Amino acid sequence: DVKVTQSSRYLVKRTGEKVFLECVQDMDHENMFWYRQDPGLGLRLIYFSYDVKMKEKGDIPEGYSVSREKKERFSLILESASTNQTSMYLCASSTQQGDGTQYFGPGTRLTVL
Amino acid sequence: GESVGLHLPTLSVQEGDNSIINCAYSNSASDYFIWYKQESGKGPQFIIDIRSNMDKRQGQRVTVLLNKTVKHLSLQIAATQPGDSAVYFCAENMMDTGRRALTFGSGTRLQVQP
């Protein structure tokens, strides 16, 4: 079974703090994704990566950056957290050989005070 | 713009009945579709997929129907159980373009009444 894990299920941070969200997958997938999920807005793509050290902006990259130093790990960084970044953050991975099916982690609920 | 959407935000059914969740997509170039289930507090979980060269695909208690003429996708759940209560998303992809990111709909909440 594909397993995607995220470093925290719940996180509370203060405005202006630098926040790191970590994601690890164990299926040797090339592609990894970060989404945020908000009520009424569905899943919105922040960034994705299709190879180590490669990244592409998604639909809402502002205020975020990412890092992919190893194939299995994809990090989302909030350089200076703001209250409007309070959300559920979901990581996913997929193989480039497949149809594009993405497998998701359990999510991190981030609250910025 | 291109979008994947759902007709009903909330669907309430009786336990044991069949459920049908609908999804409309606007990009006729999409050729691969996925249904995900998301239970409260969890990440989306893959349920079933279908390619555009098919119009029906069956899994265990679930069936996905694709009508390319009207750009409509549906998920049918047979003998709905309390454990089926969740939010269901459809997603689309365009395989020929090599697009790596899926486009997701906003979700339908399925509530199963005992």
Side-chain angles (χ1 to χ4, degrees), chain A residues 33-48 57-62 64 76 84-92 102 104, chain B residues 38 44 89 99 101-106:
Chain A
F33 306 83
W34 274 107
Y35 295 89
R36 64 177 283 177
Q37 185 177 34
D38 301 288
L41 296 176
L43 285 159
R44 293 183 291 167
L45 181 64
I46 304 172
Y47 267 98
F48 68 98
K57 293 180 179 179
D59 300 320
I60 51 163
E62 296 79 18
Y64 303 94
L76 180 70
N84 63 12
Q85 291 179 309
T86 291
S87 186
M88 169 70 89
Y89 290 87
L90 289 161
C91 175
Q102 294 179 19
F104 285 84
Chain B
Q38 186 175 21
F89 298 91
R99 176 181 162 86
L102 298 173
T103 301
F104 289 88
S106 57

Side-chain angles (χ1 to χ4, degrees), chain A residues 9 33 37 99 101-102 105, chain B residues 32 36 38 41 51 95 100:
Chain A
R9 292 301 305 274
F33 306 83
Q37 185 177 34
D99 294 330
T101 301
Q102 294 179 19
Chain B
Y32 178 64
Y36 286 92
Q38 186 175 21
R51 289 179 178 267
M95 299 309 301
R100 298 177 180 90

